[in-house]
Short mmCIF file of all heavy atoms in Angstrom, two decimals:
data_model
loop_
_atom_site.label_atom_id
_atom_site.label_comp_id
_atom_site.label_asym_id
_atom_site.label_seq_id
_atom_site.Cartn_x
_atom_site.Cartn_y
_atom_site.Cartn_z
N PRO A 1 0.83 -1.21 0.00
CA PRO A 1 0.00 0.00 0.01
C PRO A 1 0.85 1.26 0.00
O PRO A 1 1.98 1.23 0.46
CB PRO A 1 -0.81 -0.10 1.28
CG PRO A 1 -0.07 -1.05 2.13
CD PRO A 1 0.70 -1.95 1.22
N GLU A 2 0.30 2.29 -0.48
CA GLU A 2 0.96 3.59 -0.44
C GLU A 2 0.97 4.08 1.00
O GLU A 2 0.05 3.78 1.77
CB GLU A 2 0.20 4.60 -1.30
CG GLU A 2 0.16 4.24 -2.77
CD GLU A 2 1.50 4.42 -3.44
OE1 GLU A 2 2.23 5.34 -3.07
OE2 GLU A 2 1.82 3.61 -4.31
N SER A 3 2.00 4.83 1.38
CA SER A 3 2.03 5.35 2.73
C SER A 3 0.84 6.27 3.02
O SER A 3 0.42 6.41 4.14
CB SER A 3 3.34 6.09 3.00
OG SER A 3 3.47 7.18 2.11
N ALA A 4 0.26 6.87 1.97
CA ALA A 4 -0.92 7.71 2.14
C ALA A 4 -2.15 6.91 2.57
O ALA A 4 -3.12 7.47 3.06
CB ALA A 4 -1.22 8.46 0.84
N ASP A 5 -2.10 5.57 2.40
CA ASP A 5 -3.22 4.72 2.81
C ASP A 5 -3.27 4.50 4.31
O ASP A 5 -4.28 4.12 4.85
CB ASP A 5 -3.13 3.35 2.11
CG ASP A 5 -3.36 3.43 0.61
OD1 ASP A 5 -3.95 4.43 0.14
OD2 ASP A 5 -2.91 2.52 -0.08
N LEU A 6 -2.16 4.72 4.99
CA LEU A 6 -2.11 4.61 6.44
C LEU A 6 -2.84 5.78 7.07
O LEU A 6 -2.60 6.93 6.71
CB LEU A 6 -0.65 4.60 6.94
CG LEU A 6 -0.44 4.69 8.43
CD1 LEU A 6 -0.90 3.42 9.14
CD2 LEU A 6 1.01 4.98 8.75
N LYS A 7 -3.75 5.47 8.02
CA LYS A 7 -4.49 6.52 8.71
C LYS A 7 -4.28 6.36 10.19
O LYS A 7 -4.38 5.26 10.73
CB LYS A 7 -5.98 6.47 8.36
CG LYS A 7 -6.22 6.78 6.90
CD LYS A 7 -7.69 6.94 6.63
CE LYS A 7 -8.03 7.27 5.21
NZ LYS A 7 -7.11 7.07 4.18
N VAL A 8 -3.97 7.43 10.88
CA VAL A 8 -3.80 7.44 12.33
C VAL A 8 -4.81 8.44 12.91
O VAL A 8 -4.85 9.59 12.47
CB VAL A 8 -2.37 7.86 12.74
CG1 VAL A 8 -2.24 7.90 14.26
CG2 VAL A 8 -1.34 6.93 12.12
N ILE A 9 -5.61 7.96 13.84
CA ILE A 9 -6.60 8.80 14.47
C ILE A 9 -6.34 8.81 15.99
O ILE A 9 -6.30 7.74 16.62
CB ILE A 9 -8.03 8.26 14.19
CG1 ILE A 9 -8.31 8.22 12.70
CG2 ILE A 9 -9.09 9.10 14.93
CD1 ILE A 9 -9.53 7.41 12.32
N MET A 10 -6.12 9.97 16.54
CA MET A 10 -5.93 10.09 17.99
C MET A 10 -7.34 10.09 18.63
O MET A 10 -8.17 10.94 18.32
CB MET A 10 -5.19 11.37 18.33
CG MET A 10 -3.76 11.39 17.83
SD MET A 10 -2.72 10.01 18.37
CE MET A 10 -2.71 10.24 20.15
N LEU A 11 -7.59 9.13 19.49
CA LEU A 11 -8.89 8.99 20.16
C LEU A 11 -8.93 9.72 21.49
O LEU A 11 -10.00 9.93 22.04
CB LEU A 11 -9.23 7.50 20.36
CG LEU A 11 -9.31 6.65 19.09
CD1 LEU A 11 -9.56 5.21 19.45
CD2 LEU A 11 -10.40 7.18 18.17
N GLY A 12 -7.77 10.07 21.97
CA GLY A 12 -7.68 10.76 23.25
C GLY A 12 -6.23 10.84 23.65
O GLY A 12 -5.35 10.44 22.90
N GLU A 13 -5.99 11.32 24.85
CA GLU A 13 -4.62 11.43 25.38
C GLU A 13 -4.04 10.04 25.54
O GLU A 13 -4.51 9.25 26.34
CB GLU A 13 -4.65 12.15 26.73
CG GLU A 13 -3.30 12.38 27.35
CD GLU A 13 -2.51 13.49 26.70
OE1 GLU A 13 -3.15 14.37 26.10
OE2 GLU A 13 -1.28 13.48 26.82
N GLY A 14 -3.03 9.68 24.72
CA GLY A 14 -2.37 8.41 24.85
C GLY A 14 -3.10 7.24 24.23
O GLY A 14 -2.76 6.08 24.52
N VAL A 15 -4.10 7.47 23.38
CA VAL A 15 -4.80 6.38 22.71
C VAL A 15 -4.92 6.73 21.22
O VAL A 15 -5.38 7.80 20.87
CB VAL A 15 -6.24 6.17 23.29
CG1 VAL A 15 -6.95 5.03 22.57
CG2 VAL A 15 -6.17 5.87 24.78
N ALA A 16 -4.47 5.78 20.37
CA ALA A 16 -4.50 6.03 18.92
C ALA A 16 -5.06 4.82 18.20
O ALA A 16 -4.91 3.67 18.66
CB ALA A 16 -3.11 6.33 18.39
N GLN A 17 -5.70 5.05 17.07
CA GLN A 17 -6.22 3.99 16.24
C GLN A 17 -5.53 4.10 14.88
O GLN A 17 -5.48 5.20 14.29
CB GLN A 17 -7.73 4.11 16.10
CG GLN A 17 -8.37 2.89 15.49
CD GLN A 17 -9.88 2.91 15.71
OE1 GLN A 17 -10.48 3.94 15.91
NE2 GLN A 17 -10.48 1.76 15.67
N LEU A 18 -4.99 2.99 14.39
CA LEU A 18 -4.32 2.96 13.09
C LEU A 18 -5.11 2.08 12.14
O LEU A 18 -5.62 1.02 12.53
CB LEU A 18 -2.92 2.35 13.20
CG LEU A 18 -1.77 3.24 13.66
CD1 LEU A 18 -1.96 3.68 15.08
CD2 LEU A 18 -0.47 2.55 13.45
N TYR A 19 -5.22 2.52 10.90
CA TYR A 19 -5.83 1.74 9.85
C TYR A 19 -4.84 1.64 8.69
O TYR A 19 -4.28 2.65 8.29
CB TYR A 19 -7.09 2.43 9.29
CG TYR A 19 -8.24 2.54 10.25
CD1 TYR A 19 -8.41 3.70 11.00
CD2 TYR A 19 -9.13 1.51 10.38
CE1 TYR A 19 -9.48 3.81 11.85
CE2 TYR A 19 -10.21 1.63 11.26
CZ TYR A 19 -10.37 2.77 12.00
OH TYR A 19 -11.41 2.89 12.85
N VAL A 20 -4.63 0.45 8.19
CA VAL A 20 -3.75 0.29 7.01
C VAL A 20 -4.29 -0.90 6.19
O VAL A 20 -4.62 -1.94 6.71
CB VAL A 20 -2.28 0.06 7.42
CG1 VAL A 20 -2.06 -1.21 8.18
CG2 VAL A 20 -1.37 0.15 6.22
N PRO A 21 -4.43 -0.69 4.86
CA PRO A 21 -4.87 -1.81 4.03
C PRO A 21 -3.70 -2.76 3.75
O PRO A 21 -2.56 -2.32 3.58
CB PRO A 21 -5.33 -1.12 2.75
CG PRO A 21 -4.62 0.19 2.71
CD PRO A 21 -4.32 0.56 4.13
N VAL A 22 -3.98 -4.05 3.76
CA VAL A 22 -3.00 -5.07 3.43
C VAL A 22 -3.64 -6.09 2.51
O VAL A 22 -4.86 -6.25 2.48
CB VAL A 22 -2.42 -5.79 4.67
CG1 VAL A 22 -1.67 -4.85 5.57
CG2 VAL A 22 -3.49 -6.49 5.44
N MET A 23 -2.79 -6.76 1.72
CA MET A 23 -3.30 -7.79 0.81
C MET A 23 -2.74 -9.14 1.29
O MET A 23 -1.53 -9.31 1.43
CB MET A 23 -2.78 -7.50 -0.61
CG MET A 23 -3.43 -8.35 -1.66
SD MET A 23 -5.16 -8.01 -1.91
CE MET A 23 -5.09 -6.47 -2.80
N PHE A 24 -3.66 -10.07 1.60
CA PHE A 24 -3.28 -11.43 1.96
C PHE A 24 -3.60 -12.33 0.78
O PHE A 24 -4.55 -12.07 0.04
CB PHE A 24 -4.08 -11.94 3.18
CG PHE A 24 -3.74 -11.27 4.48
CD1 PHE A 24 -4.59 -10.36 5.05
CD2 PHE A 24 -2.56 -11.58 5.12
CE1 PHE A 24 -4.28 -9.76 6.26
CE2 PHE A 24 -2.24 -10.97 6.33
CZ PHE A 24 -3.11 -10.07 6.90
N THR A 25 -2.82 -13.39 0.62
CA THR A 25 -3.12 -14.41 -0.38
C THR A 25 -3.68 -15.60 0.39
O THR A 25 -2.97 -16.20 1.20
CB THR A 25 -1.86 -14.79 -1.17
OG1 THR A 25 -1.31 -13.58 -1.74
CG2 THR A 25 -2.18 -15.76 -2.28
N ILE A 26 -4.96 -15.90 0.15
CA ILE A 26 -5.68 -16.89 0.94
C ILE A 26 -6.27 -17.96 0.03
O ILE A 26 -6.84 -17.66 -1.02
CB ILE A 26 -6.83 -16.20 1.74
CG1 ILE A 26 -6.27 -15.12 2.65
CG2 ILE A 26 -7.65 -17.21 2.51
CD1 ILE A 26 -7.32 -14.27 3.31
N GLY A 27 -6.16 -19.22 0.46
CA GLY A 27 -6.77 -20.32 -0.29
C GLY A 27 -6.61 -21.62 0.47
O GLY A 27 -5.66 -21.81 1.22
N PRO A 28 -7.56 -22.54 0.25
CA PRO A 28 -7.46 -23.84 0.90
C PRO A 28 -6.31 -24.67 0.29
O PRO A 28 -5.93 -24.44 -0.86
CB PRO A 28 -8.81 -24.50 0.63
CG PRO A 28 -9.34 -23.78 -0.56
CD PRO A 28 -8.76 -22.41 -0.56
N ALA A 29 -5.82 -25.63 1.04
CA ALA A 29 -4.74 -26.49 0.57
C ALA A 29 -5.17 -27.18 -0.74
O ALA A 29 -6.30 -27.65 -0.86
CB ALA A 29 -4.41 -27.51 1.63
N GLY A 30 -4.27 -27.21 -1.69
CA GLY A 30 -4.55 -27.87 -2.95
C GLY A 30 -5.29 -27.04 -3.97
O GLY A 30 -5.59 -27.50 -5.07
N HIS A 31 -5.65 -25.79 -3.64
CA HIS A 31 -6.37 -24.91 -4.55
C HIS A 31 -5.58 -23.64 -4.77
O HIS A 31 -4.71 -23.28 -3.99
CB HIS A 31 -7.76 -24.57 -3.98
CG HIS A 31 -8.68 -25.73 -3.93
ND1 HIS A 31 -8.69 -26.60 -2.85
CD2 HIS A 31 -9.58 -26.20 -4.81
CE1 HIS A 31 -9.61 -27.54 -3.07
NE2 HIS A 31 -10.17 -27.33 -4.25
N SER A 32 -5.89 -22.93 -5.82
CA SER A 32 -5.24 -21.66 -6.09
C SER A 32 -5.63 -20.64 -5.02
O SER A 32 -6.78 -20.53 -4.66
CB SER A 32 -5.65 -21.11 -7.45
OG SER A 32 -5.20 -21.97 -8.48
N ALA A 33 -4.61 -19.93 -4.54
CA ALA A 33 -4.86 -18.88 -3.57
C ALA A 33 -5.29 -17.60 -4.28
O ALA A 33 -4.87 -17.34 -5.40
CB ALA A 33 -3.60 -18.63 -2.74
N GLN A 34 -6.15 -16.85 -3.64
CA GLN A 34 -6.66 -15.61 -4.19
C GLN A 34 -6.24 -14.43 -3.31
O GLN A 34 -6.29 -14.55 -2.08
CB GLN A 34 -8.21 -15.66 -4.28
CG GLN A 34 -8.76 -16.77 -5.14
CD GLN A 34 -8.33 -16.63 -6.58
OE1 GLN A 34 -8.40 -15.52 -7.14
NE2 GLN A 34 -7.89 -17.71 -7.18
N PRO A 35 -5.87 -13.34 -3.94
CA PRO A 35 -5.56 -12.15 -3.12
C PRO A 35 -6.83 -11.60 -2.48
O PRO A 35 -7.87 -11.52 -3.12
CB PRO A 35 -4.96 -11.16 -4.12
CG PRO A 35 -5.43 -11.61 -5.45
CD PRO A 35 -5.71 -13.08 -5.36
N THR A 36 -6.74 -11.27 -1.21
CA THR A 36 -7.87 -10.74 -0.46
C THR A 36 -7.41 -9.50 0.30
O THR A 36 -6.43 -9.57 1.04
CB THR A 36 -8.45 -11.78 0.52
OG1 THR A 36 -8.77 -12.95 -0.22
CG2 THR A 36 -9.68 -11.29 1.21
N ARG A 37 -8.11 -8.40 0.13
CA ARG A 37 -7.71 -7.15 0.74
C ARG A 37 -8.42 -7.02 2.12
O ARG A 37 -9.61 -7.25 2.23
CB ARG A 37 -8.13 -5.98 -0.15
CG ARG A 37 -7.62 -4.65 0.27
CD ARG A 37 -7.91 -3.62 -0.84
NE ARG A 37 -7.42 -2.32 -0.46
CZ ARG A 37 -8.17 -1.37 0.06
NH1 ARG A 37 -9.44 -1.55 0.27
NH2 ARG A 37 -7.63 -0.20 0.38
N PHE A 38 -7.64 -6.65 3.13
CA PHE A 38 -8.15 -6.41 4.47
C PHE A 38 -7.72 -5.03 4.93
O PHE A 38 -6.68 -4.52 4.51
CB PHE A 38 -7.60 -7.44 5.48
CG PHE A 38 -8.27 -8.77 5.43
CD1 PHE A 38 -7.87 -9.72 4.52
CD2 PHE A 38 -9.29 -9.06 6.31
CE1 PHE A 38 -8.47 -10.96 4.46
CE2 PHE A 38 -9.93 -10.31 6.26
CZ PHE A 38 -9.50 -11.25 5.35
N LEU A 39 -8.51 -4.46 5.79
CA LEU A 39 -8.15 -3.23 6.46
C LEU A 39 -7.77 -3.64 7.88
O LEU A 39 -8.59 -4.17 8.62
CB LEU A 39 -9.34 -2.26 6.48
CG LEU A 39 -9.10 -0.89 7.08
CD1 LEU A 39 -8.04 -0.12 6.30
CD2 LEU A 39 -10.39 -0.09 7.12
N ILE A 40 -6.51 -3.43 8.23
CA ILE A 40 -6.03 -3.80 9.58
C ILE A 40 -6.25 -2.61 10.50
O ILE A 40 -5.81 -1.50 10.23
CB ILE A 40 -4.54 -4.21 9.55
CG1 ILE A 40 -4.32 -5.38 8.61
CG2 ILE A 40 -4.05 -4.53 10.96
CD1 ILE A 40 -5.04 -6.65 8.98
N ASN A 41 -7.00 -2.86 11.56
CA ASN A 41 -7.40 -1.85 12.53
C ASN A 41 -6.64 -2.16 13.82
O ASN A 41 -6.82 -3.22 14.40
CB ASN A 41 -8.91 -1.95 12.72
CG ASN A 41 -9.45 -1.03 13.78
OD1 ASN A 41 -8.73 -0.37 14.50
ND2 ASN A 41 -10.77 -1.02 13.90
N GLN A 42 -5.76 -1.24 14.25
CA GLN A 42 -4.99 -1.46 15.49
C GLN A 42 -5.33 -0.35 16.47
O GLN A 42 -5.44 0.81 16.11
CB GLN A 42 -3.50 -1.41 15.21
CG GLN A 42 -3.01 -2.49 14.28
CD GLN A 42 -1.52 -2.40 14.05
OE1 GLN A 42 -0.83 -1.58 14.64
NE2 GLN A 42 -1.03 -3.23 13.17
N LEU A 43 -5.48 -0.75 17.74
CA LEU A 43 -5.66 0.19 18.81
C LEU A 43 -4.38 0.20 19.64
O LEU A 43 -3.92 -0.84 20.09
CB LEU A 43 -6.85 -0.21 19.69
CG LEU A 43 -7.22 0.75 20.78
CD1 LEU A 43 -7.69 2.08 20.18
CD2 LEU A 43 -8.31 0.19 21.66
N LEU A 44 -3.79 1.38 19.81
CA LEU A 44 -2.53 1.53 20.56
C LEU A 44 -2.74 2.41 21.78
O LEU A 44 -3.51 3.36 21.72
CB LEU A 44 -1.45 2.14 19.68
CG LEU A 44 -0.92 1.21 18.59
CD1 LEU A 44 -1.75 1.36 17.32
CD2 LEU A 44 0.52 1.48 18.32
N VAL A 45 -2.05 2.05 22.87
CA VAL A 45 -2.13 2.80 24.11
C VAL A 45 -0.72 3.18 24.53
O VAL A 45 0.19 2.33 24.52
CB VAL A 45 -2.81 1.94 25.21
CG1 VAL A 45 -2.83 2.67 26.54
CG2 VAL A 45 -4.21 1.52 24.78
N LYS A 46 -0.54 4.43 24.90
CA LYS A 46 0.78 4.89 25.34
C LYS A 46 0.97 4.56 26.79
O LYS A 46 0.15 4.91 27.64
CB LYS A 46 0.92 6.39 25.10
CG LYS A 46 2.33 6.88 25.29
CD LYS A 46 2.47 8.31 24.84
CE LYS A 46 3.92 8.74 24.88
NZ LYS A 46 4.07 10.13 24.43
N THR A 47 2.06 3.85 27.10
CA THR A 47 2.39 3.49 28.48
C THR A 47 3.68 4.20 28.88
O THR A 47 4.30 4.87 28.07
CB THR A 47 2.58 1.96 28.61
OG1 THR A 47 3.76 1.59 27.92
CG2 THR A 47 1.39 1.18 28.06
N ALA A 48 4.11 4.01 30.11
CA ALA A 48 5.35 4.62 30.57
C ALA A 48 6.55 4.13 29.78
O ALA A 48 7.54 4.85 29.64
CB ALA A 48 5.54 4.31 32.06
N SER A 49 6.47 2.92 29.21
CA SER A 49 7.60 2.37 28.43
C SER A 49 7.42 2.54 26.92
O SER A 49 8.20 2.03 26.15
CB SER A 49 7.80 0.90 28.77
OG SER A 49 6.63 0.16 28.50
N GLY A 50 6.37 3.25 26.49
CA GLY A 50 6.15 3.50 25.04
C GLY A 50 4.79 3.02 24.60
O GLY A 50 3.95 2.62 25.38
N TRP A 51 4.57 3.11 23.27
CA TRP A 51 3.29 2.71 22.69
C TRP A 51 3.18 1.18 22.66
O TRP A 51 4.13 0.51 22.27
CB TRP A 51 3.14 3.26 21.28
CG TRP A 51 2.91 4.73 21.25
CD1 TRP A 51 3.85 5.71 21.15
CD2 TRP A 51 1.65 5.38 21.37
NE1 TRP A 51 3.24 6.94 21.20
CE2 TRP A 51 1.91 6.78 21.30
CE3 TRP A 51 0.35 4.95 21.50
CZ2 TRP A 51 0.88 7.72 21.40
CZ3 TRP A 51 -0.66 5.89 21.58
CH2 TRP A 51 -0.39 7.26 21.54
N LYS A 52 2.04 0.68 23.05
CA LYS A 52 1.77 -0.79 23.05
C LYS A 52 0.50 -1.04 22.24
O LYS A 52 -0.48 -0.29 22.34
CB LYS A 52 1.56 -1.31 24.48
CG LYS A 52 2.71 -1.03 25.42
CD LYS A 52 3.92 -1.81 25.04
CE LYS A 52 5.05 -1.50 26.02
NZ LYS A 52 6.27 -2.13 25.68
N VAL A 53 0.51 -2.14 21.48
CA VAL A 53 -0.67 -2.54 20.73
C VAL A 53 -1.65 -3.20 21.68
O VAL A 53 -1.31 -4.16 22.38
CB VAL A 53 -0.31 -3.50 19.57
CG1 VAL A 53 -1.55 -4.01 18.87
CG2 VAL A 53 0.65 -2.82 18.60
N SER A 54 -2.87 -2.67 21.75
CA SER A 54 -3.90 -3.22 22.61
C SER A 54 -4.76 -4.26 21.88
O SER A 54 -5.14 -5.25 22.47
CB SER A 54 -4.78 -2.08 23.13
OG SER A 54 -5.85 -2.56 23.87
N SER A 55 -5.01 -3.99 20.60
CA SER A 55 -5.80 -4.96 19.81
C SER A 55 -5.49 -4.78 18.33
O SER A 55 -5.07 -3.72 17.89
CB SER A 55 -7.30 -4.78 20.06
OG SER A 55 -7.73 -3.53 19.53
N ILE A 56 -5.68 -5.88 17.60
CA ILE A 56 -5.52 -5.88 16.15
C ILE A 56 -6.74 -6.59 15.58
O ILE A 56 -7.05 -7.72 15.99
CB ILE A 56 -4.26 -6.63 15.69
CG1 ILE A 56 -3.02 -5.97 16.28
CG2 ILE A 56 -4.18 -6.68 14.17
CD1 ILE A 56 -1.73 -6.71 16.00
N ARG A 57 -7.44 -5.94 14.67
CA ARG A 57 -8.63 -6.52 14.06
C ARG A 57 -8.55 -6.42 12.54
O ARG A 57 -8.52 -5.30 12.00
CB ARG A 57 -9.87 -5.74 14.49
CG ARG A 57 -10.82 -6.53 15.33
CD ARG A 57 -12.05 -5.75 15.76
NE ARG A 57 -12.66 -5.00 14.69
CZ ARG A 57 -13.36 -3.88 14.86
NH1 ARG A 57 -13.51 -3.39 16.06
NH2 ARG A 57 -13.91 -3.27 13.87
N PRO A 58 -8.50 -7.53 11.83
CA PRO A 58 -8.55 -7.47 10.37
C PRO A 58 -10.01 -7.38 9.92
O PRO A 58 -10.87 -8.12 10.40
CB PRO A 58 -7.93 -8.79 9.93
CG PRO A 58 -8.17 -9.72 11.06
CD PRO A 58 -8.24 -8.88 12.32
N ILE A 59 -10.30 -6.44 9.02
CA ILE A 59 -11.65 -6.25 8.52
C ILE A 59 -11.61 -6.43 6.99
O ILE A 59 -10.83 -5.74 6.34
CB ILE A 59 -12.17 -4.83 8.87
CG1 ILE A 59 -12.14 -4.61 10.38
CG2 ILE A 59 -13.55 -4.59 8.29
CD1 ILE A 59 -12.29 -3.17 10.78
N PRO A 60 -12.41 -7.35 6.43
CA PRO A 60 -12.42 -7.46 4.96
C PRO A 60 -12.76 -6.10 4.34
O PRO A 60 -13.69 -5.43 4.76
CB PRO A 60 -13.51 -8.50 4.67
CG PRO A 60 -13.64 -9.26 5.96
CD PRO A 60 -13.33 -8.29 7.06
N ALA A 61 -11.97 -5.70 3.35
CA ALA A 61 -12.16 -4.41 2.71
C ALA A 61 -12.73 -4.60 1.31
O ALA A 61 -12.41 -5.59 0.64
CB ALA A 61 -10.84 -3.67 2.63
N PRO A 62 -13.57 -3.68 0.86
CA PRO A 62 -14.09 -3.80 -0.50
C PRO A 62 -12.97 -3.65 -1.51
O PRO A 62 -11.99 -2.91 -1.27
CB PRO A 62 -15.08 -2.61 -0.62
CG PRO A 62 -14.77 -1.71 0.53
CD PRO A 62 -14.05 -2.52 1.56
N THR A 63 -13.09 -4.35 -2.63
CA THR A 63 -12.11 -4.25 -3.71
C THR A 63 -12.22 -2.92 -4.39
O THR A 63 -13.32 -2.45 -4.63
CB THR A 63 -12.32 -5.38 -4.72
OG1 THR A 63 -12.33 -6.62 -4.02
CG2 THR A 63 -11.23 -5.40 -5.76
N GLN A 64 -11.09 -2.34 -4.69
CA GLN A 64 -11.10 -1.03 -5.37
C GLN A 64 -10.77 -1.19 -6.82
O GLN A 64 -10.08 -2.03 -7.24
CB GLN A 64 -10.08 -0.08 -4.75
CG GLN A 64 -10.45 0.29 -3.34
CD GLN A 64 -9.47 1.33 -2.75
OE1 GLN A 64 -8.43 1.61 -3.29
NE2 GLN A 64 -9.83 1.84 -1.61
#
């Protein structure tokens, strides 16, 4: 993806949400794999030792 596809949203003091599209190649064993686009949604929390990932959620994204 282009770096412009990365989106960072500050939800509050020390809490950020990141969105970035990624392409996975997915398929059952013995069959052709197909590219599938997902939007990876990450929630980050700032701690005393730095930013930590709190959650990661892949969301199927519409094909462009």
Side-chain angles (χ1 to χ4, degrees):
E2 297 289 325
S3 60
D5 292 339
L6 171 69
K7 294 189 180 17
V8 178
I9 301 166
M10 294 304 297
L11 300 176
E13 182 76 24
V15 180
Q17 192 165 23
L18 277 66
Y19 294 95
V20 65
V22 296
M23 190 68 74
F24 290 107
T25 304
I26 301 172
H31 293 86
S32 295
Q34 300 297 316
T36 305
R37 188 171 181 263
F38 281 84
L39 183 63
I40 301 298
N41 175 353
Q42 297 180 5
L43 185 65
L44 288 90
V45 177
K46 191 171 187 179
T47 69
S49 59
W51 288 92
K52 304 292 181 184
V53 176
S54 175
S55 67
I56 300 174
R57 245 181 46 208
I59 302 166
T63 306
Q64 292 184 350

